[in-house]
Each structure stands twice: as C-alpha cells, then as structure tokens.
Amino acid sequence: MGSIALEQAQPSFKTPWVQTPLVESASLSRAAGCRIFLKLENVQPSGSFKSRAMGNQILSHLIKPENANRSVHFYASSGGNAGLAAVCAARSLGYPCTVVVPVSTKPLMVQKLRTAGASDVIQHGETFSEAGEYMREFIMKNKDDNESENVAKIALHPFDNEPIWEGNSTIIDELAAQLPAPVGEDEEATHNGRPLPVDAIICSVGGGGLLNGLVMGIERHRQLQKMSLCYASSAVSHSQSNPINLLAIETLGTDSLATAVAQKSLVSLSKITSQATSLGAVRVSERTFQYATSPPPGIAVHSAVLSDADAARGVLRLADDERLLVELACGVCVEAAVGDALTARSSTSSDSLTSGSKKRKRVQTDYPAHRDEGYGDDRSSATGNETESEEGSEFQSKLKQLVPDLNSDSRVVIVVCGGSNITIDMAAEWRKMLDEGWGN
C-alpha cells in the first residue's frame, strides 16, 4: 500500500516509513460525544508524519534516471520535524543528509539531528529562510575535499511539492483499510457515496503539506470508487450533501491559512508568535489555499484557530489519557475535538450538514497493533458568536461547532502528527502554567 510515486519506485529502495496503528480512544470519545480514532503518526521512525513526506520526497529523487549510479547527498533547511525526518529517511536508505538551521534552533533539536545521524548540522542566520538561502548558495555549492565529482546534491523542501503530498496521502490508504466497515442500514446510509467511512478528519496545518496529502488521498479513493462496477449514480449526489469534513487546525500566531482565507488572498504572516513553532510557516502552499477556498466535491474543509494554552491542554489530555507525549502542534487537534476553546476563531466553507442524527449500531473492531499537515470570511470571536453546549454553561468544542450534526456513533479521526520538540519537563511546565490561569 503506498502512494502513486511509490508504485513506480525501484524495488531496491525500501519504504522509509511505517504503517501506523489506528486506535479508538474511549476517554476522548466520551469527551467529544462521538467516536474518536487516533492515527498514531507519532510512532514513525522520526517521531512524526514527516517520515512519509520527506521519505517519499527522497524516493522521488532516487528513482530519477539522472541520479542512477551516482552518489547522492541530501540537504534540508528545517531544524524541526521535517529536518529530522529527512535525516532518518536518508540514513535508512544509505544516503547522507546535511541540515542547515537558524542560530535560534533549540539545542534539543540540534542534538536530535546529530543523534539521528545527520552528516552535519550547520547553524546560520536568524530565520529558516536565511538558513535555506545559505544552504543553497554556499553549503551546496562548496565542494568538500572528500566529495565525489559526480555527487548529486539535492535540496529538500519541508512541505511544498507533489511527492511530499503523495507521501502524506498514504495515511488515507491506511485509513481505508483500518476503519471499521459500516454496519446496519443507518451506517450504510450515512457513509453512502463516501470513499471511506469517516465523518471527519482533524489535522494540524503549518505549510499545508499534511492537509494537501489528505485531500489527494481522499480524491484518489473517490476515483477508485467511481471506477467500481458497484458504484451507483445516486451515491454521487449523496456525497455532495454528506461530505467528508477536514478540520484544519492552527494556533494563534501561526494561523497563516486562516489569515489567507479571511483575506481571500494567499498572504503571509509578518512573523510567528505562537509557541507551536512546528506550525511556523508564515505562508501556506498555494495548493493548500486552493483546497481551503475551493475544496473538491465531496470534501468540506473547515479552519479553526486555537490558543497555545488550548494546545497545551490537548497535549496533557493525550499524556494523561493515552500515555502519548506530543508537541503543541499535535495537541491542538485534540483540544479542537474535545475542548472548550474560549478564545478560538473559526471559518467554514459549507453550511451546516443536514444529515440525520439517528443512533447507529456500534461494532467491535480489532485493530492491528503495528502496521509497517470553501470558507466564508467570518472568523468570529468565541466570546461573541460561539454556540453554547446543551448544558448552557460551557462552549462546545470546535468540532461540534463546525460539524454540528455529529452524534455518538459518528467517526472522527485525529491525525496524531507527533513531533520531537517535546519533553516531560516541558509538559510539566505547561501543566503548572495552566493551573496558574494560563489561557483563562
């Protein structure tokens, strides 16, 4: 199972990522009021979904005829999860990878890059843009004394190219096989026309590579569905009124997608002010903006922006309830599903879904233990325009606000994107800050 690019890859190259488990969380399901499934990308070799993205990008270069029988050296200018994934993937395939990062990169990440086997970790410049320019204009053009004359030097982008998105799209391939099949007339009617039986998928957005991959994967499975002899024409129209919802989550201060959507233009943030630096792309890819403002048929894209404190609450929920330690960039998705985001802003591309809210029979499913990132323009303030819960005393989660017709049997997948810029001490500090009123 893999992306289109992988189907063309030479058999001598192994896949530098693993197929990850899908598990249903009882505690998060109770809190969210629907069935919450966790796609555990935190168990990838690099600790995040970036193993798929950077791994497939590397494979796309290795299978090119011009790189056959040549020494290859990869270069990455991301000191975060993309850089770490590039090093892990390149090393697993037997190739060197040098990483150039800003001087502000934390010692924790520099050490992780070195420990993972980076050929070199070079710190230069104040920003990743400056580090990247230095990498391309100086490091890659400077010949090492021990370097072959025939070496192919290849720069890797952290989120913005087709092979990256194709790598991330393999998450959908796995979900199609791992999600429980609909049981009974109600569930079959609910998921009729959908290429996989899921109501919503929640993911983080930095530059948009993960969101792009999820959309591409759903589209690929929809095309396979259309080619099936059993595909009925009635399912096509049903899928338009009953789409798969993609929730694109950002933290305030990294909200480049939500800002672009609100301004109806692919604009850039002036700077990153959130602690969730893994989401720190000041500008999303053009493809991400296109998907957000004009999603393909059968897909509804929603945006939500939560605070760093909300993201920290999500991190602690996963640590306490699921024994998983992830970055703020990942925790924010959990809080979007179950929390009361009092300071969140949101926008959505579609009207509220009108499908029925009948109870559906739940099926017990066995999951594999281990197998192998259109809107309106109204990002309203939660303190003025949010909808209150049934109890009337708390605000609903962003999930329930954006997809209001979910019920206890609805299926929602959270992509647990993982991340390596996290320690137990950091989580403990966030808990202390929350106890002292952070975010209230």
Side-chain angles (χ1 to χ4, degrees):
M1 182 181 302
S3 73
I4 296 173
L6 286 183
E7 292 169 1
Q8 301 169 348
Q10 300 176 16
S12 58
F13 298 124
K14 69 176 183 179
T15 303
W17 66 85
V18 299
Q19 192 176 58
T20 58
L22 180 73
V23 298
E24 185 169 5
S25 169
S27 59
L28 295 180
S29 296
R30 283 195 299 272
C34 57
R35 299 180 69 180
I36 296 293
F37 295 85
L38 303 176
K39 185 60 172 159
L40 301 181
E41 291 299 290
N42 57 305
V43 303
Q44 290 289 356
S46 68
S48 81
F49 77 97
K50 291 286 188 178
S51 285
R52 298 179 191 265
M54 304 308 289
N56 202 52
Q57 183 178 193
I58 286 172
L59 287 179
S60 73
H61 288 291
L62 293 178
I63 65 175
K64 292 179 178 178
E66 62 265 34
N67 293 327
N69 303 315
R70 294 181 65 186
S71 298
V72 176
H73 193 129
F74 293 100
Y75 293 81
S77 59
S78 168
N81 297 311
L84 185 60
V87 171
C88 291
R91 289 282 297 172
S92 73
L93 293 165
Y95 295 91
C97 183
T98 293
V99 185
V100 183
V101 300
V103 294
S104 58
T105 302
K106 295 180 179 179
L108 171 66
M109 290 307 300
V110 172
Q111 185 56 50
K112 284 184 181 253
L113 290 166
R114 296 189 188 281
T115 301
S119 295
D120 197 2
V121 182
I122 301 165
Q123 293 186 266
H124 179 87
E126 296 300 323
T127 66
F128 282 110
S129 176
E130 291 178 7
E133 183 178 359
Y134 181 74
M135 179 189 80
R136 292 185 297 272
E137 298 301 321
F138 182 77
I139 300 297
M140 293 180 68
K141 292 181 179 179
N142 185 37
K143 184 181 181 301
D144 191 287
D145 292 338
N146 300 319
E147 197 170 65
S148 167
E149 291 285 348
N150 193 39
V151 65
K153 297 184 177 182
I154 299 174
L156 301 170
H157 198 282
F159 62 84
D160 193 6
N161 64 41
E162 202 85 14
I164 283 177
W165 309 334
E166 289 174 349
N168 290 334
S169 76
T170 60
I171 292 175
I172 297 298
D173 298 334
E174 294 174 21
L175 288 178
Q178 292 172 327
L179 284 163
V183 175
E185 293 182 0
D186 288 342
E187 284 203 350
E188 290 177 356
T190 296
H191 298 293
N192 180 36
R194 288 175 173 167
L196 64 162
V198 64
D199 296 275
I201 301 175
I202 305 177
C203 72
S204 302
V205 173
L210 178 55
L211 179 66
N212 293 355
L214 295 176
V215 173
M216 289 173 62
I218 293 172
E219 279 291 278
R220 186 168 65 249
H221 280 264
R222 188 176 301 285
Q223 293 304 315
L224 293 173
Q225 184 185 51
K226 286 183 179 179
M227 291 187 292
S228 172
L229 295 177
C230 298
Y231 189 73
S233 60
S234 60
V236 179
S237 59
H238 184 67
S239 68
Q240 309 310 311
S241 60
N242 192 32
I244 293 176
N245 296 277
L246 293 183
L247 274 63
I249 311 299
E250 300 169 289
T251 53
L252 186 62
T254 66
D255 48 332
S256 52
L257 175 61
T259 300
V261 167
Q263 297 188 23
K264 300 180 181 179
S265 176
L266 188 54
V267 298
S268 300
L269 300 178
S270 59
K271 61 180 180 179
I272 298 299
T273 58
S274 168
Q275 294 184 45
T277 54
S278 295
L279 302 181
V282 296
R283 182 186 180 101
V284 295
S285 74
E286 183 176 354
R287 179 73 64 85
T288 306
F289 180 68
Q290 292 171 350
Y291 281 149
T293 54
S294 184
I299 298 175
V301 179
H302 311 267
S303 173
V305 182
L306 280 71
S307 69
D308 283 353
D310 290 322
R313 291 186 185 95
V315 169
L316 295 174
R317 284 185 193 271
L318 277 186
D320 293 342
D321 297 343
E322 305 297 333
R323 301 172 301 283
L324 301 174
L325 189 61
V326 299
E327 290 185 359
L328 289 173
C330 182
V332 71
C333 290
V334 175
E335 204 63 8
V338 305
D340 305 311
L342 297 179
T343 60
R345 296 174 296 165
S346 70
S347 56
T348 178
S349 63
S350 57
D351 294 331
S352 297
L353 302 183
T354 57
S355 56
S357 58
K358 294 180 180 179
K359 294 284 184 177
R360 289 168 291 182
K361 182 179 179 181
R362 182 168 298 183
V363 60
Q364 182 68 32
T365 307
D366 294 325
Y367 300 103
H370 188 84
R371 300 169 62 183
D372 188 338
E373 160 199 324
Y375 293 92
D377 58 356
D378 55 335
R379 295 193 300 157
S380 56
S381 168
T383 58
N385 297 305
E386 303 290 324
T387 303
E388 290 190 343
S389 66
E390 292 179 358
E391 290 79 6
S393 60
E394 296 181 346
F395 290 91
Q396 291 180 331
S397 69
K398 297 311 298 180
L399 173 64
K400 282 296 184 71
Q401 292 169 22
L402 296 171
V403 192
D405 286 345
L406 296 177
N407 59 57
S408 61
D409 286 327
S410 298
R411 297 126 174 263
V412 175
V413 172
I414 298 176
V415 180
V416 182
C417 54
S420 296
N421 189 22
I422 177 67
T423 65
I424 294 174
D425 290 341
M426 293 166 66
E429 178 64 20
W430 294 333
R431 190 185 300 276
K432 178 182 177 182
M433 291 170 62
L434 289 169
D435 288 343
E436 294 174 349
W438 181 28
N440 294 335

